[in-house]
Amino acid sequence: MSEKPHRAEDRRVKRTKKILRDNLFKLLETRTADEITVKELTEAADVNRSTFYFYYKDINDMIRQIQAEIYGVFEAEVIAPAASFDTEADFVAYITRFLLFCKDNEKICKFVISNDPNNNLTNMIRTRLLEFIPDSEKVFGTDNPKRYLTCFAVAGIWETVLRWMYDGMVVPPREMAEFMTSVYFVGGRTVLLEK
């Protein structure tokens, strides 16, 4: 019997947070996070300031919570299903999941990328992506330029994904994943395996 009110409350909480988030996104289209006040956001969202402060300390705390939320989705949808990354097919599946995550969460991903001055979320995602790609720094010595191959590949993949997102994600995720995989496996990975 107590389950129903709890579920209704959960729905209300989610709905309220979504309204606040959507209005924050709208305000951020013309200004930076530092220029937006809680009063302004709550008026735009038609939510009491006390309600805002029940969930968040301030606008920056709200942004941090949104980042944590999107990172949790990234972990569940992109990282969790990972098995191995020994073949091109494994890598295509991995990159496809990452691109689908970006597409499914386009608005929030763009928001987080644009409003992450310290690159916290970007660095967390890059670090997790790197865990599944052979690390050239562990293979080559400090005097070998090949030690920077993984850094080069990850930066290339990351920048390609960002450009793809801002270009409207016209190329289907699977096709993009196959392209990036072929570049990585035929180009960089070949160099990596040459030692």
Side-chain angles (χ1 to χ4, degrees), residues 123-187:
N123 290 334
M124 288 191 320
I125 290 176
R126 277 185 175 169
T127 299
R128 290 297 275 146
L129 289 172
L130 268 171
E131 289 178 19
F132 299 97
I133 300 172
D135 189 351
S136 55
E137 287 189 23
K138 294 178 181 170
V139 178
F140 301 104
T142 55
D143 61 340
N144 191 329
K146 291 180 184 177
R147 76 179 276 110
Y148 301 105
L149 179 64
T150 301
C151 176
F152 179 81
V154 170
I157 289 169
W158 186 258
E159 291 302 319
T160 302
V161 169
L162 293 181
R163 173 54 54 198
W164 173 76
M165 282 176 59
Y166 281 100
D167 284 348
M169 298 178 280
V170 178
V171 179
R174 177 80 184 191
E175 192 176 329
M176 279 299 297
E178 288 170 351
F179 165 72
M180 288 190 280
T181 299
S182 69
V183 170
Y184 176 67
F185 270 79
V186 174

Side-chain angles (χ1 to χ4, degrees), residues 13-69:
V13 168
K14 286 179 183 176
R15 188 175 67 241
T16 301
K17 286 186 168 186
K18 183 180 181 324
I19 290 167
L20 285 166
R21 187 177 64 206
D22 290 347
N23 279 277
L24 179 63
F25 292 164
K26 284 179 190 168
L27 291 169
L28 284 166
E29 289 174 5
T30 57
R31 303 205 315 284
T32 67
D34 292 336
E35 297 171 326
I36 298 168
T37 66
V38 171
K39 181 180 183 212
E40 183 179 20
L41 173 59
T42 54
E43 285 177 359
D46 196 24
V47 171
N48 288 327
R49 272 197 282 177
S50 59
T51 303
F52 175 91
Y53 285 118
F54 184 78
Y55 302 119
Y56 312 108
K57 293 178 196 168
D58 53 30
I59 299 290
N60 287 327
D61 181 50
M62 183 179 177
I63 291 171
R64 280 189 293 276
Q65 287 191 40
I66 292 170
Q67 289 173 335
E69 177 188 325

